[in-house]
Amino acid sequence: MKKNILIFIVSVCICFFAAADEKPKKPSYPDNDIRLLRSARETFRAGSCGEALKLAVQAEIERKKQVAWEIYTLQNSFKSSEVKKAADVLSAIIPVLEKRQEYDSLEIIRRYESKLSPSYFSDSASNLIEYIRKRNAFPEADWIIGNVYKYEGEYNLAKEYLLSAWRNAPLLDVSDEQYDILYSLADIAYLDNDKENYEADLLLILSDDRYFRNVDLNDAMMLTIRNQKAGSMEKFFNLFRSDDYRSISAYFKLADFYAADNKDKALKASALGVLTGFTKMYTAVKQRDPEFEYTGVSSLFEEVSRYTGILDWAGENKIWSGFISFAQKVYEDGNTEFSKDLYTALAGYAPDDYCKKEAARALENFTNSTTQHRM
């Protein structure tokens, strides 16, 4: 497959550069690059990496063709003496283009103003052209290509495309897709055993998470875990919430990363990951059943078992293994009652067989440890 991919990319690039000196042609469909990108995404999700790569490369070629035509069209329109009198002012240029019936240029200007708002370009024609020129980059397509190379084991190529996607993240149509890029870069760093960049990428994901950055919240959360009082576990899940759901995987990965060398950071990351998963499940249950009455952690676990959608989400995001890992870290930190209470709730009510078994095993170890201590 690798050989076929290389042959395809080389042939496409040869065709593109061979046509680069020709006068840019108006695209048959103005959003052909987006259409190809959507097909690449669907194909990638379906697991057909080779076809996804081909479509993503074609999307990038179509983007470059469209950008070349748009710049060529605008610059040609702006050459007229009438337009030059309007200087660089878009609002003054538009009436001139309307009078001259420069419909392609008008369509381009209006499309970008509609997408980003007229103020985005500060009423400057040169700013508009500069923005269009930057759109030669196609971070969404680079992300797909990078991930295909990752699955093929070509980590250096994967990193190259993913870093390109990250550098051009301001061009993303959906800004939150920057976190998908960072997660992919973290995956590459993990596979390369690049600990420094692995941690850095995960921390970048959390850099916009207000709960992660809230020192008072984190201090209060850790005090509750460590106060050694009965009922601390229930108090923790009653008092705190965290709803930045894109952070869950980063929290769990950092908790594992820090486990050996920085147990405080590991416990904090694990706590925030579990708390975020708990918040998501609680919110989802209340949306489905506004009459649901929360009486404790066990009541939520029991209620969650009624909803396939929530169970699927929890499984995909490793929420139950996250709870087990959190309970273990709490125990290792010396907070026996908190840990025991959480294991009890998980063993009795978690809607996940693996989680139940692990929690029951931990409780059995508690019992055996207590018996041996008494002897």
Side-chain angles (χ1 to χ4, degrees):
M1 179 177 167
K2 293 177 185 177
K3 184 178 179 181
N4 292 338
I5 288 172
L6 184 60
I7 292 170
F8 169 76
I9 292 176
V10 170
S11 63
V12 169
C13 289
I14 288 172
C15 292
F16 174 73
F17 288 114
D21 291 332
E22 299 177 6
K23 175 183 173 182
K25 296 178 181 178
K26 183 177 181 179
S28 303
Y29 302 96
D31 293 326
N32 202 33
D33 54 339
I34 301 300
R35 182 183 62 82
L36 285 163
L37 176 70
R38 287 171 182 159
S39 296
R41 281 174 168 165
E42 291 169 6
T43 308
F44 180 70
R45 292 191 192 106
S48 182
C49 287
E51 185 62 22
L53 180 64
K54 291 178 182 179
L55 289 165
V57 171
Q58 288 173 340
E60 291 199 326
I61 297 298
E62 286 300 313
R63 169 64 62 85
K64 292 181 189 302
K65 287 180 180 177
Q66 181 166 331
V67 166
W69 177 77
E70 289 175 348
I71 292 175
Y72 173 83
T73 301
L74 289 175
Q75 287 180 334
N76 263 3
S77 293
F78 295 167
K79 286 178 181 177
S80 75
S81 57
E82 292 174 90
V83 172
K84 286 180 179 178
K85 289 177 184 177
D88 190 48
V89 182
L90 266 178
S91 58
I93 290 172
I94 289 172
V96 179
L97 296 178
E98 289 173 339
K99 181 181 177 181
R100 291 173 54 84
Q101 298 182 345
E102 300 271 5
Y103 297 125
D104 283 340
S105 292
L106 287 166
E107 188 278 327
I108 293 168
I109 294 169
R110 285 166 178 159
R111 174 156 41 86
Y112 282 109
E113 285 191 335
S114 174
K115 178 182 177 181
L116 296 164
S117 84
S119 61
Y120 184 88
F121 304 108
S122 302
D123 206 19
S124 164
S126 57
N127 285 351
L128 171 62
I129 289 177
E130 183 58 29
Y131 173 81
I132 294 172
R133 185 172 282 112
K134 288 178 181 177
R135 290 186 76 248
N136 262 309
F138 203 169
E140 294 92 341
D142 280 341
W143 180 85
I144 294 172
I145 296 170
N147 274 281
V148 170
Y149 280 128
K150 180 182 75 174
Y151 292 131
E152 286 291 306
E154 299 285 350
Y155 300 145
N156 288 335
L157 274 172
K159 187 175 181 180
E160 181 181 330
Y161 276 95
L162 291 170
L163 284 173
S164 173
W166 174 243
R167 285 193 299 270
N168 293 294
L171 295 172
L172 290 166
D173 284 339
V174 179
S175 62
D176 275 2
E177 288 179 2
Q178 65 182 300
Y179 302 107
D180 296 331
I181 298 169
L182 287 171
Y183 272 120
S184 295
L185 282 168
D187 288 344
I188 295 294
Y190 179 82
L191 292 166
D192 271 344
N193 197 30
D194 183 352
K195 295 181 179 180
E196 182 179 351
N197 278 316
Y198 181 67
E199 179 187 17
D201 291 333
L202 294 174
L203 288 174
L204 268 175
I205 292 167
L206 299 177
S207 62
D208 294 327
D209 185 325
R210 65 185 185 278
Y211 303 100
F212 181 74
R213 294 183 286 106
N214 189 328
V215 176
D216 291 338
L217 169 69
N218 284 274
D219 287 347
M221 187 177 68
M222 298 299 279
L223 282 172
T224 303
I225 293 171
R226 290 170 166 164
N227 71 10
Q228 304 290 339
K229 295 179 181 178
S232 293
M233 188 276 287
E234 292 291 357
K235 182 179 180 182
F236 175 83
F237 287 104
N238 266 312
L239 281 179
F240 306 112
R241 291 289 182 269
S242 173
D243 59 7
D244 205 330
Y245 304 129
R246 65 171 175 252
S247 299
I248 291 174
S249 184
Y251 281 136
F252 288 155
K253 289 175 187 291
L254 281 172
D256 291 340
F257 177 77
Y258 291 134
D261 301 321
N262 195 322
K263 293 192 180 297
D264 274 357
K265 284 187 175 181
L267 180 57
K268 172 189 168 183
S270 184
L272 282 165
V274 163
L275 191 63
T276 308
F278 180 89
T279 303
K280 174 72 172 180
M281 292 192 295
Y282 176 84
T283 302
V285 165
K286 289 295 284 183
Q287 287 172 342
R288 288 162 173 78
D289 180 10
E291 301 300 317
F292 167 69
E293 184 177 350
Y294 177 82
T295 57
V297 170
S298 297
S299 70
L300 181 66
F301 291 167
E302 190 172 25
E303 186 70 10
V304 162
S305 66
R306 295 176 51 203
Y307 302 105
T308 303
I310 302 176
L311 292 174
D312 289 344
W313 176 87
E316 290 167 7
N317 289 275
K318 302 180 180 178
I319 301 301
W320 304 115
S321 58
F323 267 104
I324 292 294
S325 179
F326 174 54
Q328 180 63 26
K329 287 177 173 59
V330 170
Y331 174 74
E332 291 171 355
D333 194 60
N335 311 292
T336 307
E337 288 302 315
F338 188 116
S339 179
K340 186 177 180 181
D341 287 348
L342 182 53
Y343 276 132
T344 300
L346 291 167
Y349 298 95
D352 179 87
D353 289 340
Y354 170 80
C355 182
K356 275 189 171 183
K357 289 176 183 176
E358 288 297 307
R361 186 178 300 154
L363 286 172
E364 186 178 344
N365 291 338
F366 270 113
T367 302
N368 292 338
S369 177
T370 302
T371 302
Q372 290 174 5
H373 180 73
R374 287 175 179 172
M375 293 174 60

